[in-house]
Amino acid sequence: MSTEIFGIENVNVWVDGLIRVLLIVGFMTVVVMGLIYGERKILARFQQRLGPTRTGPMGLLQSVADALKLVGKEDLRPRNADPWTFELAPYLVFVPVFLGFVIVPFVLDWQIRILELGLLYFVAITGVNIVGWIMAGWGSDNRYAMIGGMRAAAQGISYELPLVLALVSVAMVVEVPLADGEVARGSLNLNEIVASQHEVPNIVWQPLVVVVFFIAGLAELNRTPFDIPVGESEVVGGPFVEYSGIRWSMFFLAEYAALLIMSLLFAAVFLGGWAWPAGIFTDEDWPRWAQALLVAGKASIFVFMVFWVRASVPRLRIDQLMGFSWKILLPLMLAQVMVNGLVLVYDWPEIILTVVGLIGIVALFAMVDRAVRQPRQRPASAAQLQSEAV
Amino acid sequence: MVVEAPSEFETQDLLINVGPQHPSTHGVFRMVLEIDGEVVKDLVPYIGYLHRGAEKLCENNDFRQGIGYMDRTEYLAAHNAELSYVMAVEALGEIEVPERAQWIRMILCELNRISSHFMFLGAFGIDVGVFGTPFIYAWRERETIIDLFEEISGDRMMYAYFRAGGLAWEVPANFENRVREVLASAQQGVKDFDGLLTENEIFIARTKGVGFISAEDAIEMGMSGPTIRASGVPLDIRKTEPYLFYDQLDFEPITANGGDVFDRYIVRLQEISQSIDLIGQCLERLQPGPITPERMPRMLRLPEGEAYIRTEAPRGEYGVYMVSKGGNKPHRLKVRSACLSNLQVLKQMSVGQYVADAIIILGSIDIVLSEVDR
Amino acid sequence: MKGILKSMMVTASTFARKPVTREYPESHRELPERDRAFPLLLWDEDINEPFCTGCHACERACPVECMTVIMKDNPNHTAHDGPSKRRKIIDSFYIDYGRCMRCNICVEVCNFEAIAMNNTWQGHETSVYDRSDLVMDLPQLLAESKAGEIQEWVAE
């Protein structure tokens, strides 16, 4: 089978796939290093100080220096570490994140592969991440690592549900123009999702979903306020405490690559990707580099918000974090899916979606407020222990 | 046939060592936690990593040389540590201190209280999990205060500025203006912290109801300082046994009703504002005058006797018990450390809480290890 | 979640302020004149000899015993047709900067105002590779004052 790439005709399909993969991998490595540098600089500005300034002009080569340092470190392995789980864990964390890049729509009709089940593929692949965390925690033969690994698994599984439901509620109402002029609703193909936003981005129709996606995305990325697995002041590194050098850098890179994917997905699904405000176009009207810049700008909004939240907000405890997901986010998302379904079936005007979404945001604020002001419930055994300790 | 499922899993408790090298133990402190899942069942603290024999060293140094060691027993609030020491010497030797020296001592001690409470806010912010922002805010404010101290005494942390009888030398000419500048900047810092942490829902969820200690238990265990005031006991040595000229100032001890971590944080935050107000009152009453008595002997020889002087350091009741048998060196110098007494309640407060909370509770007692271990 | 939004507003307002970082070592802060780094000895320019007579007052007063002082008869004394009034002069003087706790007591007890605390940046930047290099001898202690770089501060 042959296909064409960049205007070259009759290229073998496998070679074409390989070229795209290599391009994306190269692009991703550079951008991830830039993200690490950007995080340090932006966080520093939030704290009224300068970030890296010494390595290279304005500290731009800081990530390179970090990478060189990590490469040069000794490769330590605890004596009692389980050999298979310890060795394979970085790969199981790192590779699924890379695989997630297959479906990200960068510019018009250009992805590694356009999959009909794009969103399903993305959600399924990021679930494999969690197995890697557990393997890292258990294989390290270290109590802190095990605690961190278990916490990460619990958190990852809990926040998958609101994330998936958020994506589902967007995929439900996507308009796909069919060949005979009719409009079908519902698609998991990311290209179609972006194209359907050529007039109005999805953020207008689904404001609550955007907020929940942001929060659940923070939890999936293990970022503040959900970074208890890597809580620096408690378990000092969580499941990765026994890894050093290159192995540790693979976890680190995986985290930032996941951040990149999440931000590109956010730009594609909610902010309109390359289709808004450009509308339906061809490559002559709106050249590729302009589309890429548009997508990059939208993705950086998400990234900036993630850094901003990191600089301002404390860390949630594991039981509070789980309660937040199961008791607050999940019911809201189920209600949102139901409302979307009703609007689809009864063909109500879409403005109802916006109104319901805004009410949902107010409801979210109120539920969080009520949960915080209530006195803490402590398990009965804990109270008994307390009275014995006096 | 009905098979009964096992009613309980067999579980084992985990022993976790929050070791001497740890980012959040505020110094070299070790505690061993026995946890069941996430709940703490037992806690054993180990101290002594920072013991340098300060009390013994003071026995070999006369009353002027010992001031350097007292700085180092509480390096975050050194003026308060020096104050107890020189007041004990003055009590034994019946030395009169001129008024101006007393007022300046009060201003410096309150400034040190502000800088020490800022340090608490910064370290506590890191314990709760905000990445670095409260810490940097705290150090930004501390820098202004410490710069002022450097202009007065020459050193940023180990001042050695108080002497028996008054101060070592006169403050610089622009003292009042500089103090007012520092107060303005500290007020901005309090506003920043208030906005950043006090109303933050996650912060409230993390700290309310955690680490509770009742007023009766606190009094029984001998706590003092902001930790006991947060449980509702209005114990402030500046009010109950006024020293220097605190009886001429107008203030009330700040208390809170909850006795949990959030209240300890709020009490300290409000105490910064109270100290700013107190310094303003002191500046109004400051008059020119001498700073040492007219005839100070070169070498202090104190008569036989003993004295126990306690003052309100930022962490609680810092007392100095001095025994003199004639001569120019103390026969015995004992420091009653506020942090050591406050640390005793750590187990009581932490058992039954989650592991993440144990770290926060330790942070909220606000210990500085050099005072615990001396 | 209003509180969280308020926290984010506070952080955003800090974003807009100027950073408070000073890029050391390119830019040094200006030290106040009372700044107290390590002690050094002062040079009497009129007669070209140190002020210090080696009287051991500072050595006795030091809480950590970081000084070693040896005096000798002054060859520059008027008895030998010299300009100086000092009968004795310092022969060798060692201060261990590693033990000194910068408490200022040696400056206070000196009868001749011969020792002062270094209030320049050179007094703070004293890092060495070997700890025994921190023991300063007489020429090292006199060097800055001889070169005229010291404006010492004396308490009245």
Side-chain angles (χ1 to χ4, degrees):
Chain A
M1 293 201 303
S2 59
T3 170
E4 62 107 21
I5 177 171
F6 293 136
I8 310 173
E9 304 278 338
N10 276 343
V11 177
N12 186 349
V13 143
W14 290 99
V15 173
D16 165 59
L18 190 64
I19 295 177
R20 288 180 194 242
V21 164
L22 286 175
L23 268 179
I24 295 291
V25 165
F27 160 79
M28 189 211 69
T29 317
V30 171
V31 171
V32 160
M33 288 184 126
L35 266 183
I36 299 178
Y37 167 76
E39 167 165 37
R40 288 170 74 154
K41 271 294 206 192
I42 294 180
L43 272 179
R45 277 308 164 114
F46 275 120
Q47 296 164 2
Q48 224 180 334
R49 58 183 174 96
L50 305 167
T53 48
R54 297 256 163 221
T55 46
M58 292 207 309
L60 281 166
L61 298 177
Q62 181 68 39
S63 299
V64 176
D66 283 338
L68 285 174
K69 176 204 82 163
L70 285 169
V71 165
K73 273 199 177 181
E74 180 185 353
D75 181 25
L76 290 172
R77 190 173 317 162
R79 183 183 308 175
N80 291 332
D82 189 278
W84 282 107
T85 30
F86 190 77
E87 302 283 335
L88 283 182
Y91 298 107
L92 255 114
V93 169
F94 189 55
V95 169
V97 170
F98 263 103
L99 287 178
F101 268 104
V102 165
I103 40 93
V104 171
F106 292 100
V107 292
L108 172 64
D109 278 342
W110 205 93
Q111 302 161 218
I112 297 186
R113 272 293 169 265
I114 299 178
L115 294 178
E116 277 301 320
L117 297 175
L119 274 182
L120 177 63
Y121 168 83
F122 169 72
V123 167
I125 276 287
T126 50
V128 183
N129 220 339
I130 299 175
V131 177
W133 284 69
I134 300 186
M135 283 171 70
W138 193 79
S140 295
D141 189 49
N142 181 337
R143 284 171 189 164
Y144 280 126
M146 198 166 70
I147 292 182
M150 295 301 155
R151 284 175 176 177
Q155 179 184 315
I157 297 177
S158 305
Y159 279 89
E160 283 278 334
L161 276 164
L163 189 75
V164 169
L165 282 177
L167 291 172
V168 158
S169 53
V170 166
M172 279 168 76
V173 289
V174 163
E175 289 177 358
V176 180
L178 291 175
D180 52 358
E182 292 282 323
V183 169
R185 305 295 285 258
S187 161
L188 288 174
N189 185 340
L190 271 168
N191 232 8
E192 285 170 14
I193 294 181
V194 176
S196 76
Q197 293 176 62
H198 59 95
E199 279 159 27
V200 182
N202 273 334
I203 190 173
V204 171
W205 302 131
Q206 318 270 3
L208 173 65
V209 174
V210 167
V211 173
V212 172
F213 179 84
F214 183 72
I215 298 176
L218 279 178
E220 286 297 315
L221 295 169
N222 284 313
R223 284 240 148 213
T224 321
F226 305 108
D227 64 348
I228 204 162
V230 281
E232 282 157 43
S233 61
E234 296 163 24
V235 290
V236 197
F240 311 139
V241 73
E242 292 283 352
Y243 288 88
S244 65
I246 287 269
R247 291 179 214 272
W248 184 82
S249 72
M250 292 179 80
F251 290 116
F252 202 55
L253 277 177
E255 182 184 329
Y256 282 90
L259 173 65
L260 185 62
I261 292 191
M262 207 63 93
S263 66
L264 285 169
L265 209 69
F266 182 81
V269 170
F270 292 104
L271 289 178
W274 39 260
W276 183 82
I280 299 282
F281 55 88
T282 64
D283 275 333
E284 282 84 38
D285 308 323
W286 197 257
R288 293 254 161 134
W289 58 265
Q291 297 171 33
L293 272 182
L294 191 61
V295 171
K298 293 177 185 178
S300 10
I301 296 179
F302 183 83
V303 167
F304 186 75
M305 293 287 299
V306 168
F307 293 161
W308 193 359
V309 169
R310 182 178 192 194
S312 331
V313 168
R315 188 179 296 144
L316 277 176
R317 211 174 53 226
I318 188 77
D319 61 321
Q320 293 165 338
L321 185 158
M322 309 263 277
F324 183 56
S325 162
W326 290 97
K327 295 191 215 166
I328 298 184
L329 289 185
L330 189 59
L332 279 174
M333 277 292 99
L334 288 172
Q336 172 79 47
V337 167
M338 207 153 14
V339 168
N340 280 5
L342 287 173
V343 167
L344 275 183
V345 165
Y346 289 119
D347 235 351
W348 286 341
E350 298 217 336
I351 197 72
I352 289 193
L353 285 177
T354 316
V355 170
V356 169
L358 290 172
I359 296 178
I361 292 186
V362 173
L364 175 66
F365 277 38
M367 284 164 91
V368 168
D369 224 23
R370 197 183 68 116
V372 160
R373 309 254 173 247
Q374 250 173 9
R376 263 186 74 227
Q377 311 278 5
R378 270 182 304 158
S381 57
Q384 192 192 8
L385 279 171
Q386 181 120 41
S387 56
E388 276 170 17
V390 178
Chain B
M1 197 171 78
V2 174
V3 177
E4 268 191 348
S7 54
E8 273 190 31
F9 286 115
E10 245 193 62
T11 54
Q12 247 185 342
D13 293 335
L14 205 58
L15 270 179
I16 290 224
N17 182 35
V18 181
Q21 296 142 313
H22 195 101
S24 77
T25 51
H26 298 275
V28 274
F29 174 71
R30 177 180 176 216
M31 54 185 184
V32 177
L33 299 167
E34 188 183 325
I35 61 175
D36 173 22
E38 282 266 341
V39 176
V40 173
K41 282 174 69 171
D42 196 9
L43 185 151
V44 180
Y46 292 88
I47 59 174
Y49 290 93
L50 200 49
H51 180 71
R52 299 150 293 170
E55 297 176 359
K56 176 69 185 170
L57 282 170
C58 282
E59 287 177 21
N60 297 331
N61 290 309
D62 61 40
F63 294 105
R64 180 174 48 188
Q65 293 171 319
I67 199 92
Y69 295 103
M70 301 310 289
D71 278 332
R72 284 154 174 85
T73 60
E74 180 161 6
Y75 46 73
L76 288 177
H79 277 133
N80 292 281
E82 289 176 23
L83 183 68
S84 295
Y85 179 77
V86 296
M87 278 172 70
V89 173
E90 285 156 13
L92 277 178
E94 281 160 26
I95 305 173
E96 272 290 317
V97 184
E99 266 201 32
R100 183 175 163 82
Q102 300 280 55
W103 286 112
I104 295 182
R105 279 181 181 179
M106 285 170 75
I107 294 177
L108 292 176
C109 285
E110 291 303 316
L111 274 175
N112 225 333
R113 189 185 310 269
I114 295 178
S115 83
S116 168
H117 282 328
F118 268 125
M119 176 75 199
F120 160 77
L121 290 174
F124 189 60
I126 290 202
D127 283 340
V128 170
V130 194
F131 174 77
T133 316
F135 197 67
I136 306 285
Y137 289 177
W139 280 94
R140 191 188 67 199
E141 304 310 327
R142 269 180 66 92
E143 277 294 298
T144 50
I145 300 180
I146 289 186
D147 281 346
L148 172 63
F149 286 153
E150 195 182 7
E151 287 172 28
I152 299 175
S153 65
D155 208 314
R156 295 165 74 81
M157 213 181 197
M158 313 292 177
Y159 313 111
Y161 183 52
F162 291 176
R163 299 276 187 271
L167 307 169
W169 47 77
E170 182 61 71
V171 292
N174 60 350
F175 177 66
E176 205 167 319
N177 293 337
R178 287 287 292 131
V179 171
R180 290 197 198 277
E181 272 175 38
V182 164
L183 292 182
S185 141
Q187 222 140 27
Q188 173 66 34
V190 169
K191 265 209 298 237
D192 276 344
F193 268 104
D194 215 7
L196 184 68
L197 287 179
T198 313
E199 289 177 35
N200 194 324
E201 274 90 7
I202 300 184
F203 182 75
I204 296 177
R206 244 7 252 283
T207 54
K208 267 220 198 274
V210 170
F212 173 74
I213 185 141
S214 65
E216 296 81 35
D217 284 336
I219 297 177
E220 211 177 282
M221 299 292 258
M223 293 173 71
S224 53
T227 30
I228 200 177
R229 290 201 279 278
S231 297
V233 180
L235 173 69
D236 188 337
I237 298 176
R238 296 174 292 173
K239 261 306 200 207
T240 55
E241 294 177 16
Y243 52 95
L244 298 180
F245 287 136
Y246 279 109
D247 42 4
Q248 292 183 25
L249 293 183
D250 175 31
F251 69 104
E252 287 300 319
I254 295 180
T255 56
N257 284 330
D260 56 16
V261 168
F262 182 76
D263 288 313
R264 284 177 221 135
Y265 156 83
I266 276 287
V267 163
R268 288 193 176 95
L269 189 66
Q270 289 172 352
E271 275 193 8
I272 299 182
S273 305
Q274 185 189 54
S275 292
I276 294 178
D277 180 47
L278 287 177
I279 298 179
Q281 293 181 32
C282 291
L283 279 176
E284 286 165 24
R285 293 172 171 75
L286 189 62
Q287 305 287 339
I291 51 161
T292 44
E294 276 128 37
R295 256 164 318 180
M296 275 299 292
R298 264 197 165 204
M299 180 63 75
L300 268 177
R301 277 177 206 286
L302 295 183
E304 275 194 38
E306 54 189 36
Y308 178 67
I309 301 287
R310 61 174 130 210
T311 58
E312 179 79 16
R315 291 178 172 76
E317 172 189 327
Y318 187 89
V320 165
Y321 173 65
M322 194 179 288
V323 177
S324 156
K325 297 226 188 297
N328 62 345
K329 300 187 167 69
H331 176 77
R332 168 82 171 113
L333 173 76
K334 152 118 180 100
V335 170
R336 189 268 183 202
S337 153
C339 295
L340 184 58
S341 305
N342 289 349
L343 200 53
Q344 295 173 72
V345 289
L346 183 63
K347 173 170 171 173
Q348 195 176 336
M349 284 200 269
S350 309
V351 168
Q353 312 274 350
Y354 294 105
V355 171
D357 291 339
I359 309 281
I360 292 188
I361 296 171
L362 177 64
S364 78
I365 308 181
D366 190 21
I367 55 171
V368 59
L369 262 306
S370 70
E371 198 188 332
V372 171
D373 292 338
R374 275 159 271 136
Chain C
M1 305 236 256
K2 276 190 331 222
I4 300 183
L5 291 174
K6 191 167 171 200
S7 308
M8 289 171 70
M9 286 301 124
V10 169
T11 344
S13 77
T14 333
F15 195 88
R17 291 184 222 166
K18 196 164 154 289
V20 291
T21 318
R22 177 185 302 271
E23 300 203 42
Y24 182 89
E26 280 91 34
S27 83
H28 284 74
R29 183 174 70 96
E30 223 190 271
L31 292 174
E33 68 163 340
R34 299 188 188 194
D35 189 71
R36 230 164 59 201
F38 291 100
L40 42 67
L41 292 175
L42 297 174
W43 184 256
D44 188 352
E45 277 152 3
D46 306 327
I47 327 181
N48 260 347
E49 67 179 12
F51 278 103
C52 177
T53 59
C55 69
H56 300 276
C58 56
E59 188 183 2
R60 278 189 296 244
C62 177
V64 287
E65 295 170 11
C66 69
M67 303 195 209
T68 308
V69 174
I70 302 180
M71 66 160 88
K72 66 178 183 196
D73 286 319
N74 192 358
N76 263 343
H77 188 53
T78 43
H80 309 282
D81 300 322
S84 167
K85 292 217 178 75
R86 303 183 179 102
R87 242 185 276 261
K88 303 275 188 190
I89 200 72
I90 187 72
D91 185 26
S92 69
F93 199 121
Y94 295 103
I95 303 185
D96 186 355
Y97 277 4
R99 285 186 78 113
C100 170
M101 68 157 153
R102 294 177 294 115
C103 60
N104 211 45
I105 293 184
C106 53
V107 175
E108 283 177 33
V109 299
C110 180
N111 302 306
F112 304 97
E113 288 183 9
I115 189 169
M117 289 309 216
N118 194 342
N119 59 1
T120 65
W121 272 105
Q122 268 170 303
H124 287 288
E125 295 169 349
T126 55
S127 21
V128 293
Y129 281 104
D130 188 359
R131 203 184 295 175
S132 51
D133 291 337
L134 280 178
V135 179
M136 302 286 163
D137 53 12
L138 187 61
Q140 282 172 304
L141 290 171
L142 284 170
E144 270 187 71
S145 183
K146 256 198 212 177
E149 288 164 4
I150 293 289
Q151 294 226 330
E152 74 276 6
W153 177 76
V154 178
E156 300 92 41

